[in-house]
Amino acid sequence: MSEENIKPKTALVTGAGRGIGKSIAEALARDGMKVICVSKSESSCGSTAEGIRANGGDAVARAVDVSSSEQIKLACEELLSEYEYIEVLVNNAGITRDNLLFRMEENDWNDVLHTNLTSCFHWIKLLGRPMTRKRWGRIVNISSVVGLTGNAGQANYAASKAGMIGLTKSLAREFAARSVTVNAVAPGFIDTDMTSDLDERVKEVALSQVPLKRFGTVEDIAEMASFLCSEKASYITGQVFTVDGGMVM
Ligand code: NAP
C-alpha cells in the first residue's frame, strides 16, 4: 500500500462557512480527512471547523476573501509551508449579483467573476502543483446547472459557472497523466441562504421544473463531492455531474 493510502488526507474547502460548502467539509471530515475550512468571515468557517472537531473530526479554519488573489496567495504560502501537500481541493465559494444585462453594473460582473471563477484559477494553480508532483490529487469545482443552460437575469453568474466547466475540462486533460482528477458538480436548486431570499413565486416556478418534485439538500451535493474526492472515483475526470432532481437531462 502506498504512503498516500495510509496517511489521512488534507482537504481544503472554500465557502465552508455555510450551506453546501459546510456540508462538504463535514462529509470529508467523516471520510477521515483533515479539513481546512475557508470562508470570507472568520466566524463562519470557525464555527464549521468547531462543529467538525466537536464530532470527533479534524478541522481548522482560515478566513480568506477568495475574490482577492493576494489573500489566496498568502494563504497558500502559509498552508503549504505547514502541510507541504494538500491532496483535495473543493472550489465551492460563490456569490450571485443578479440583474438583467442592461441593468447590470460592471462591478456586479467583476465581483461574481472574481469570486466564482478567477478564485478557482488561483487555488488550483497554487495547490495543484504539489498534487501533480506527488502524483495524486482531487479537485472538485462546484458549478451550477445555469452554467449549462444559462438563465435570464444571471449572465454574470452563468458565465462564471460555465467558465468553471471549461476550466475543469481543460485541467482534467493537463493533470491526468499525474493522477490528479478534476471534476465539476452542477447543483440545481438547493435549499441554502443563497436561495432562501428568492421570491415565493420564483421558487414555485423553479419547483415546477424539478421532476423529483423537491429542492435539493446540501447533503445531496456533499455526497457527490465526497465520492469524487475518494479513491473510488479514481477513473473519473473532466466530468460535470448535475445533481438537480432531473431538471437538466
Ligand atoms: P451560501 O449559502 O451563500 O454560502 C456561500 C459560502 O461562500 C459562504 O460560506 C461564504 O462565506 C462563502 N463566500 C462567499 N464569498 C466569498 C469570498 N469572497 N471569499 C470567501 N468565501 C466566500 O451558498 P451556497 O448556496 O451554499 O452555494 C455554494 C456554491 O454552490 C456556490 O458556488 C453556488 O454558486 C453553488 N450553487 C448553489 C446552488 C443553490 O441552489 N444554493 C445551486 C447551484 C450552485 P461566509 O460564510 O464567510 O459569508
Side-chain angles (χ1 to χ4, degrees):
M1 198 179 260
S2 71
E3 193 191 326
E4 269 69 34
N5 288 333
I6 302 161
K7 187 177 127 312
K9 292 184 168 57
T10 305
L12 186 144
V13 181
T14 70
R18 290 178 281 129
I20 293 170
K22 179 180 182 193
S23 188
I24 293 173
E26 291 167 348
L28 296 182
R30 281 195 299 276
D31 293 340
M33 297 186 196
K34 177 184 183 104
V35 185
I36 301 163
C37 303
V38 168
S39 71
K40 193 167 181 178
S41 87
E42 186 104 48
S43 61
S44 86
C45 56
S47 104
T48 301
E50 209 176 295
I52 289 172
R53 289 195 298 271
N55 283 312
D58 192 359
V60 293
R62 172 87 207 212
V64 182
D65 179 349
V66 305
S67 66
S68 154
S69 61
E70 294 313 314
Q71 287 198 29
I72 296 176
K73 283 175 194 160
L74 184 66
C76 286
E77 226 169 78
E78 289 176 9
L79 290 167
L80 288 175
S81 72
E82 190 173 340
Y83 298 97
E84 187 202 357
Y85 165 39
I86 293 167
E87 288 95 337
V88 172
L89 166 66
V90 181
N91 281 307
N92 162 83
I95 57 167
T96 52
R97 297 277 183 276
D98 297 352
N99 222 330
L100 294 170
L101 187 78
F102 295 138
R103 292 189 200 144
M104 190 177 284
E105 300 294 337
E106 193 173 338
N107 274 349
D108 295 333
W109 175 269
N110 287 335
D111 288 352
V112 168
L113 267 291
H114 283 136
T115 304
N116 298 6
L117 179 60
T118 310
S119 62
C120 300
F121 162 77
H122 292 297
W123 285 113
I124 298 172
K125 194 169 172 193
L126 293 160
L127 299 185
R129 193 181 287 278
M131 289 183 197
T132 58
R133 246 190 241 126
K134 294 274 190 176
R135 294 177 178 270
W136 199 96
R138 295 279 185 271
I139 298 170
V140 174
N141 297 319
I142 307 300
S143 175
S144 166
V145 286
V146 308
L148 296 166
T149 63
N151 196 22
Q154 290 198 305
N156 51 358
Y157 182 74
S160 73
K161 295 297 179 180
M164 289 174 82
I165 291 171
L167 181 74
T168 298
K169 288 178 179 284
S170 302
L171 298 183
R173 291 182 187 278
E174 286 190 27
F175 297 169
R178 301 293 180 120
S179 300
V180 175
T181 66
V182 190
N183 290 291
V185 178
F189 198 106
I190 310 300
D191 211 355
T192 67
D193 290 352
M194 188 178 266
T195 47
S196 63
D197 285 348
L198 291 173
D199 193 80
E200 280 310 311
R201 177 78 197 116
V202 173
K203 287 189 193 177
E204 255 172 52
V205 172
L207 192 56
S208 72
Q209 291 164 0
V210 182
L212 284 176
K213 291 289 165 230
R214 68 167 175 88
F215 292 136
T217 64
V218 292
E219 291 81 13
D220 290 326
I221 308 304
E223 285 296 330
M224 176 58 83
S226 151
F227 170 66
L228 291 172
C229 293
S230 74
E231 200 58 57
K232 291 176 193 160
S234 62
Y235 201 52
I236 301 171
T237 197
Q239 304 304 309
V240 184
F241 295 90
T242 51
V243 181
D244 65 349
M247 258 168 89
V248 178
M249 292 197 189

